[in-house]
PDB file of all heavy atoms in Angstrom:
ATOM      1  N   GLY A 430      46.630 -25.430  22.945  1.00 96.00           N
ATOM      2  CA  GLY A 430      47.984 -25.440  22.702  1.00 96.00           C
ATOM      3  C   GLY A 430      48.540 -25.970  21.425  1.00 96.00           C
ATOM      4  O   GLY A 430      49.224 -25.392  20.708  1.00 96.00           O
ATOM      5  N   LEU A 431      47.984 -27.134  20.999  1.00 96.00           N
ATOM      6  CA  LEU A 431      48.432 -27.738  19.794  1.00 96.00           C
ATOM      7  C   LEU A 431      47.835 -27.050  18.643  1.00 96.00           C
ATOM      8  O   LEU A 431      48.477 -26.947  17.569  1.00 96.00           O
ATOM      9  CB  LEU A 431      47.862 -29.256  19.763  1.00 96.00           C
ATOM     10  CG  LEU A 431      48.578 -30.225  20.726  1.00 96.00           C
ATOM     11  CD1 LEU A 431      47.944 -31.482  20.665  1.00 96.00           C
ATOM     12  CD2 LEU A 431      50.032 -30.345  20.286  1.00 96.00           C
ATOM     13  N   GLY A 432      46.588 -26.396  18.749  1.00 95.00           N
ATOM     14  CA  GLY A 432      45.978 -25.599  17.735  1.00 95.00           C
ATOM     15  C   GLY A 432      46.930 -24.405  17.383  1.00 95.00           C
ATOM     16  O   GLY A 432      47.197 -24.081  16.257  1.00 95.00           O
ATOM     17  N   VAL A 433      47.399 -23.697  18.429  1.00 96.00           N
ATOM     18  CA  VAL A 433      48.311 -22.510  18.249  1.00 96.00           C
ATOM     19  C   VAL A 433      49.507 -23.028  17.623  1.00 96.00           C
ATOM     20  O   VAL A 433      50.158 -22.446  16.748  1.00 96.00           O
ATOM     21  CB  VAL A 433      48.411 -21.745  19.575  1.00 96.00           C
ATOM     22  CG1 VAL A 433      49.318 -20.525  19.379  1.00 96.00           C
ATOM     23  CG2 VAL A 433      47.054 -21.256  20.068  1.00 96.00           C
ATOM     24  N   ALA A 434      50.095 -24.109  18.058  1.00 96.00           N
ATOM     25  CA  ALA A 434      51.430 -24.651  17.661  1.00 96.00           C
ATOM     26  C   ALA A 434      51.172 -24.916  16.176  1.00 96.00           C
ATOM     27  O   ALA A 434      52.121 -24.703  15.349  1.00 96.00           O
ATOM     28  CB  ALA A 434      51.811 -25.979  18.468  1.00 96.00           C
ATOM     29  N   GLY A 435      50.086 -25.538  15.721  1.00 96.00           N
ATOM     30  CA  GLY A 435      49.790 -25.881  14.322  1.00 96.00           C
ATOM     31  C   GLY A 435      49.843 -24.674  13.447  1.00 96.00           C
ATOM     32  O   GLY A 435      50.396 -24.513  12.382  1.00 96.00           O
ATOM     33  N   LEU A 436      49.263 -23.515  13.976  1.00 95.00           N
ATOM     34  CA  LEU A 436      49.205 -22.237  13.312  1.00 95.00           C
ATOM     35  C   LEU A 436      50.605 -21.695  12.996  1.00 95.00           C
ATOM     36  O   LEU A 436      50.910 -21.264  11.929  1.00 95.00           O
ATOM     37  CB  LEU A 436      48.385 -21.186  14.098  1.00 95.00           C
ATOM     38  CG  LEU A 436      46.909 -21.549  14.249  1.00 95.00           C
ATOM     39  CD1 LEU A 436      46.228 -20.362  15.026  1.00 95.00           C
ATOM     40  CD2 LEU A 436      46.142 -21.696  12.959  1.00 95.00           C
ATOM     41  N   PHE A 437      51.506 -21.802  14.003  1.00 96.00           N
ATOM     42  CA  PHE A 437      52.845 -21.296  13.885  1.00 96.00           C
ATOM     43  C   PHE A 437      53.657 -22.280  12.824  1.00 96.00           C
ATOM     44  O   PHE A 437      54.536 -21.804  12.065  1.00 96.00           O
ATOM     45  CB  PHE A 437      53.582 -21.187  15.204  1.00 96.00           C
ATOM     46  CG  PHE A 437      53.366 -19.929  15.895  1.00 96.00           C
ATOM     47  CD1 PHE A 437      52.283 -19.755  16.693  1.00 96.00           C
ATOM     48  CD2 PHE A 437      54.157 -18.839  15.689  1.00 96.00           C
ATOM     49  CE1 PHE A 437      52.087 -18.562  17.444  1.00 96.00           C
ATOM     50  CE2 PHE A 437      53.944 -17.680  16.251  1.00 96.00           C
ATOM     51  CZ  PHE A 437      52.893 -17.553  17.143  1.00 96.00           C
ATOM     52  N   LEU A 438      53.355 -23.521  12.962  1.00 96.00           N
ATOM     53  CA  LEU A 438      53.919 -24.546  11.946  1.00 96.00           C
ATOM     54  C   LEU A 438      53.516 -24.257  10.608  1.00 96.00           C
ATOM     55  O   LEU A 438      54.342 -24.354   9.687  1.00 96.00           O
ATOM     56  CB  LEU A 438      53.563 -25.937  12.386  1.00 96.00           C
ATOM     57  CG  LEU A 438      54.290 -26.479  13.649  1.00 96.00           C
ATOM     58  CD1 LEU A 438      53.667 -27.862  14.034  1.00 96.00           C
ATOM     59  CD2 LEU A 438      55.776 -26.596  13.457  1.00 96.00           C
ATOM     60  N   ALA A 439      52.267 -23.800  10.350  1.00 95.00           N
ATOM     61  CA  ALA A 439      51.742 -23.551   9.056  1.00 95.00           C
ATOM     62  C   ALA A 439      52.230 -22.251   8.607  1.00 95.00           C
ATOM     63  O   ALA A 439      52.421 -22.043   7.458  1.00 95.00           O
ATOM     64  CB  ALA A 439      50.213 -23.476   9.139  1.00 95.00           C
ATOM     65  N   LEU A 440      52.665 -21.361   9.506  1.00 94.00           N
ATOM     66  CA  LEU A 440      53.208 -20.001   9.092  1.00 94.00           C
ATOM     67  C   LEU A 440      54.664 -20.093   8.724  1.00 94.00           C
ATOM     68  O   LEU A 440      55.126 -19.366   7.832  1.00 94.00           O
ATOM     69  CB  LEU A 440      52.988 -19.062  10.329  1.00 94.00           C
ATOM     70  CG  LEU A 440      53.382 -17.605  10.028  1.00 94.00           C
ATOM     71  CD1 LEU A 440      52.664 -16.880   8.964  1.00 94.00           C
ATOM     72  CD2 LEU A 440      53.306 -16.854  11.404  1.00 94.00           C
ATOM     73  N   PHE A 441      55.525 -20.938   9.377  1.00 93.00           N
ATOM     74  CA  PHE A 441      56.946 -20.983   9.173  1.00 93.00           C
ATOM     75  C   PHE A 441      57.296 -21.310   7.840  1.00 93.00           C
ATOM     76  O   PHE A 441      56.642 -22.147   7.273  1.00 93.00           O
ATOM     77  CB  PHE A 441      57.452 -22.049  10.302  1.00 93.00           C
ATOM     78  CG  PHE A 441      58.975 -22.135  10.220  1.00 93.00           C
ATOM     79  CD1 PHE A 441      59.794 -21.154  10.902  1.00 93.00           C
ATOM     80  CD2 PHE A 441      59.639 -23.144   9.541  1.00 93.00           C
ATOM     81  CE1 PHE A 441      61.153 -21.231  10.884  1.00 93.00           C
ATOM     82  CE2 PHE A 441      61.037 -23.142   9.479  1.00 93.00           C
ATOM     83  CZ  PHE A 441      61.721 -22.260  10.082  1.00 93.00           C
ATOM     84  N   PRO A 442      58.305 -20.763   7.209  1.00 91.00           N
ATOM     85  CA  PRO A 442      59.280 -19.737   7.768  1.00 91.00           C
ATOM     86  C   PRO A 442      58.791 -18.224   7.701  1.00 91.00           C
ATOM     87  O   PRO A 442      59.648 -17.321   8.095  1.00 91.00           O
ATOM     88  CB  PRO A 442      60.499 -19.946   6.965  1.00 91.00           C
ATOM     89  CG  PRO A 442      59.988 -20.367   5.596  1.00 91.00           C
ATOM     90  CD  PRO A 442      58.707 -21.089   5.902  1.00 91.00           C
TER      91      PRO A 442
END
Side-chain angles (χ1 to χ4, degrees):
L431 288 175
V433 177
L436 296 180
F437 275 92
L438 289 170
L440 181 64
F441 183 81

